[in-house]
């Protein structure tokens, strides 16, 4: 006797929400490595740079943020690892 496969339901349609750009909302046009308060929003608790999928930045802005975070780390304004 062969078992019947259960009929699979199609997945629920995903609702596309418009992407919100946090830099545009804050009115930031230039990313500076000295703006530590702004850069901390793009770093996880473990000290890693958040992905573009999470931050919802444009590719150009994500590159600028990553470079600014790396420069701020070199200048000891941001930690390399988890802040204790």
């Amino acid at each position: 006797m062969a078992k019947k496969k259960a009929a699979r339901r199609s997945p629920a349609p995903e609702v596309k929400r418009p992407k919100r750009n946090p830099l545009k909302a804050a009115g930031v046009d230039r990313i500076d490595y000295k703006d530590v308060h702004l850069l901390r929003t793009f770093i996880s608790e473990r000290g890693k740079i958040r992905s573009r999928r999470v931050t919802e930045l444009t590719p150009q802005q994500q590159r600028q943020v990553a470079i600014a975070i790396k420069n701020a780390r070199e200048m000891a304004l941001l930690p390399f690892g988890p802040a204790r």
Side-chain angles (χ1 to χ4, degrees):
M1 267 201 209
K3 289 186 179 180
K4 285 188 176 180
K5 286 190 176 182
R8 294 187 112 182
R9 286 190 292 171
S10 62
E14 293 184 23
V15 178
K16 291 221 176 197
R17 62 184 178 124
K19 289 203 171 199
R20 53 175 178 72
N21 191 326
L23 292 179
K24 191 179 250 187
V28 176
D29 57 339
R30 189 160 176 257
I31 301 166
D32 191 15
Y33 73 92
K34 293 174 271 189
D35 192 358
V36 178
H37 181 69
L38 176 70
L39 295 178
R40 279 192 188 272
T41 61
F42 300 108
I43 299 178
S44 70
E45 303 82 40
R46 305 281 296 156
K48 295 182 177 183
I49 299 173
R50 294 188 188 270
S51 69
R52 206 182 124 231
R53 183 173 48 89
V54 175
T55 61
E56 297 182 345
L57 295 173
T58 65
Q60 293 84 6
Q61 288 172 333
Q62 182 69 23
R63 281 192 291 269
Q64 290 173 354
V65 164
I67 290 170
I69 289 172
K70 291 173 186 177
N71 287 338
R73 284 176 177 167
E74 285 293 319
M75 296 293 183
L77 299 174
L78 289 175
F80 277 95
R84 295 181 195 209

